[in-house]
Amino acid sequence: MTTTTTALERVTDDVFSDIELRTLAGFLGGYSGLTRDAYALDLRQFAQWCHDRRIALFAVARADIEAFARGRLVGVEVKAAETVHRSDFAGLRHLQSRLGDRFYFGLVLYAGTTVASFGERLIAAPIDLLW
């Protein structure tokens, strides 16, 4: 849990109150690996968005969450192969470079069994996770 707290403090030390930091660290402590990293990134981005608009993190309304998500795009590619390679992300990398901050993340769904990161906000995941 110390690692999680330190990671949040390092990036957003002036954004979180003490209670927010402890609560978020407790939440993230239940996850590991890519899942924890993805949640931590989402929380940092949302917390900064709230901070910039002077909205208390734990006082947000549904409309605030929808406003945060609006305008951000997800790219998805699907392939039938059981393996995924860096080259399978060429289209998503192009989209990422064109959209900048509006690019939320890119996902390649494939017939394999492993979730893997292929760079910042680029993930490969088994299509079987959808059901």
Side-chain angles (χ1 to χ4, degrees), residues 1-8 20-33 35-37 39-40 43:
M1 186 141 80
T2 303
T3 304
T4 302
T5 303
T6 304
L8 288 171
E20 291 170 341
L21 189 59
R22 286 194 306 269
T23 303
L24 295 173
F27 170 77
L28 290 173
Y31 299 94
S32 64
T35 303
R36 194 206 74 77
D37 293 346
Y39 278 140
L43 288 168

Side-chain angles (χ1 to χ4, degrees), residues 11-81:
V11 177
T12 57
D13 55 358
D14 64 331
V15 174
F16 296 116
S17 69
D18 289 339
I19 189 69
E20 291 170 341
L21 189 59
R22 286 194 306 269
T23 303
L24 295 173
F27 170 77
L28 290 173
Y31 299 94
S32 64
L34 293 175
T35 303
R36 194 206 74 77
D37 293 346
Y39 278 140
L41 176 62
D42 290 343
L43 288 168
R44 284 192 302 265
Q45 291 174 340
F46 184 65
Q48 185 64 55
W49 185 89
C50 289
H51 180 75
D52 293 346
R53 286 155 185 77
R54 301 186 192 282
I55 300 169
L57 185 60
F58 293 151
V60 297
R62 180 184 177 117
D64 298 319
I65 296 169
E66 290 173 357
F68 169 73
R70 195 172 299 125
R72 300 174 80 189
L73 301 173
V74 173
V76 178
E77 294 198 25
V78 180
K79 58 183 282 184

